[in-house]
Amino acid sequence: MNVAVAKTGNGRAVSDLFASAEGRLPGSPDVIAVRREAFETYERLGLPHRRIEEWKYTDLRALVGEVLPLAAAPDAAALKRAAEAVKAHAIEGARKLVLVDGVFAADLSDTKALTAEVGFRTLREALEKDSGLLKTSSTDAVIALNAAMATDGVVLSIANGAQLSAPIQILHIATAASASSFTRSRVAIGKGARATIVESFVSAGAKAYQVNDAVIVTVGDGADVAHIRLMDDAADAANVSSHFVTVGANVKFNFFNMTTGAAVSRLQGFITLAGEGSELSANGVNLLQKTEHGDTTLVVDHAVPNCVSREIFRAVIDDRAHSVFQGRIIVRPDAQKTDGKMMTRALLLSDEAEADNKPELEIFADDVSCGHGATAGALDDSLLFYLKARGLPEKQAQALLIQAFVGEAIEQIADDVLREHVIGIAERWLERRS
Amino acid sequence: MALLEVKDLKVRVEEREILHGLTLTVNEGEVHAIMGPNGSGKSTLSHVIAGKPGYEVTDGQILFKGEDLLEMSPDERAAKGVFLAFQYPVEIPGVATMTFLRTALNAQRKARGESEYSTPDFLKKVREVSKSLNIPQDMLKRGVNVGFSGGEKKRNEVLQMALFEPSLCILDEMDSGLDIDALRIAADGVNALRSPKRAMVVITHYQRLLNYIVPDVVHVMSKGRVVKSGGKELALELEASGYAQFEDAA
């Protein structure tokens, strides 16, 4: 959508945002030109709001208001705090790549442990010659803003046929309060490769910060990939992340997103099945409380025939929190024999909790099997009483039923260590409730 | 010693009085049968003792080991030793039976200030008990009661009874939905749990169940009261003459 929106009240602050950050933004003169153009796009559009159809339920102008100034590069004290957070959130056996306040932290990362099959550069290094990294087909304002402002990220290239036994974990650590970080990463996975990528977003004591992240993933033919995103930012932070995934032929791609933090968050994933015979499993869990607003938006584009997509999404919403799930399945005219299914369920733990489910099927082929389902409801009183009659206190009975509810999505994670890690995050969220 | 004392209990559901002053005393080691026609309030009594929401106690009291049961939440009652075997045990998809059993047992022990079972000790205990009840191990790996037959669900109730070792077991229409073989297995399980320290209240519409679980005392309920109590021969008398005479008496 390309509507000309009058400058908002924060228009002036927005211009200052770029001008004051420009000296810190990496890239060749070509790259800076791309950034400037992206920023102009953002300035023209402003933050997305409810009259933009894709952002109907997540009005960033109302929820966030303004974009905070760019976070300063982390100093020694910040890196020390970040090191503690890395320890607390690292996945057992994973190769860690750490970004602190939007800047790659070499000392906290395991770059030396990466095998020869994994090419690694920072975005900062890559932008010295490649402005293509900042370009996407999207016209979305937050993505344009990301292109303009991205300070760093990881650029990974996994060789054809590589069989990575250890996950690669990209950790985003926030230490700076009342500031923004912008990161952009690219992960290129070679043909026949096997890899697990985990992204974690956490706070090291920072408050009221903003994160704008973008990840571009390409998956070569025959690859087997697990991509897991765990967003547990501070309770008063905002996180808007965009994924662009292009999947080749005969690929198994297993995506999972978990939202347990941030006052305002949106993950928007654009996944294109561009090669035949691929299987996509895209799943997610939102665990929201207090006044949190969590939006998971997935667009699955079946561009070619004979692909399968499965989406399982679960939201658990307490207090006055608001969960949004938008799932669109597009089946292009040539994409015959597409098999696409999406099932979303919301569990409302309070009378004031709110869930919006917006499933959309756009089918242009005539020989396909596609479907979606959506439910919303409270915990079943008869199940709660049964558990209580067996000795479980109210909160523990609720916790067991909530774990069962989200379990169906979490079970889609094949790796035992990762699945247990995710279950642990859900358990800690449940403990925070009681 | 009196384990359960129900005194002049009056209970309403949505403005309608179901129990009109029910009195019942169950001593340690005794097995009581409560019989009565549909709508006499048998299941209401079992639900009120277990603490199911939706019932308003307007008068009377329930003492359990001398303590006021009505002041306790359902989980506190369970930890104190009250066990209700449900007429229709619910299915809980996504909660593995083993997880459920361990969580419940440890929650009860924790509430009593006892040490929680370690996983190996717990597994050993479950294996012993489930073997005696003819419950296959794969049933324990499934979701609680999910896809279980009527007989399997009742055996699962008896399994819990054996694991939690309550001092009062209330069996609500345990025979409903069971064929004769399933009934025999479940009843054998219950009989194995009879002990001088444990009391049972067997709620049933039919005398049939009492051939397998032989009671010490039989009560007849009608219109929200106990209208007659006697020995096990009272059940046989009812079988022959029906409930009509008591409905008039009430």
Side-chain angles (χ1 to χ4, degrees), chain B residues 16 21 69 71 85 127 134 139 159 162 174 185 188 190 216 231:
Chain B
R16 200 163 71 88
L69 203 61
E71 287 297 307
R127 278 202 200 99
N134 213 356
M139 214 170 108
L159 167 67
M174 203 184 79
I185 295 172
D188 286 349
V190 171
D216 302 305

Side-chain angles (χ1 to χ4, degrees), chain B residues 167-188:
Chain B
S167 38
L168 175 67
C169 305
I170 301 161
L171 312 178
D172 189 5
E173 307 271 5
M174 203 184 79
D175 45 344
S176 68
L178 293 195
D179 62 34
I180 207 75
D181 292 328
L183 179 60
R184 187 176 292 129
I185 295 172
D188 286 349

Side-chain angles (χ1 to χ4, degrees), chain B residues 35-50:
Chain B
M35 302 185 70
N38 290 330
S40 58
K42 305 186 301 287
S43 285
T44 296
L45 176 63
S46 70
H47 291 160
V48 172
I49 294 172

